[in-house]
């Protein structure tokens, strides 16, 4: 498996953090259990996307 460049990895990490915080503050602020499950699912989707990007990188 190839690795993504450090700049692209950092940008991807910032995007993931932004999405998690946005979803937390917009929709899940009053539901701690759903908040935890939602955060885990979001991170899992981003990890899968990262591996797909790394796999198809030229």
């Amino acid at each position: 498996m190839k690795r993504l460049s450090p700049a692209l990895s950092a940008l991807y990490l910032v995007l993931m953090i932004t999405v998690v915080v946005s979803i937390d503050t917009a929709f899940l602020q009053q539901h701690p259990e759903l908040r935890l499950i939602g955060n885990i699912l979001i991170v899992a989707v981003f990890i899968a996307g990262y591996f797909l990007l790394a796999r198809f990188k030229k």
Side-chain angles (χ1 to χ4, degrees), residues 18-32:
T18 304
V19 169
V20 167
V21 170
S22 299
I23 297 296
D24 274 353
T25 57
F27 301 110
L28 303 173
Q29 200 168 17
Q30 302 298 324
H31 309 285

Side-chain angles (χ1 to χ4, degrees), residues 29-51:
Q29 200 168 17
Q30 302 298 324
H31 309 285
E33 296 86 11
L34 289 176
R35 194 174 186 176
L36 177 63
I37 294 168
N39 289 343
I40 290 170
L41 290 174
I42 291 169
V43 170
V45 167
F46 270 90
I47 289 172
Y50 182 85
F51 283 121

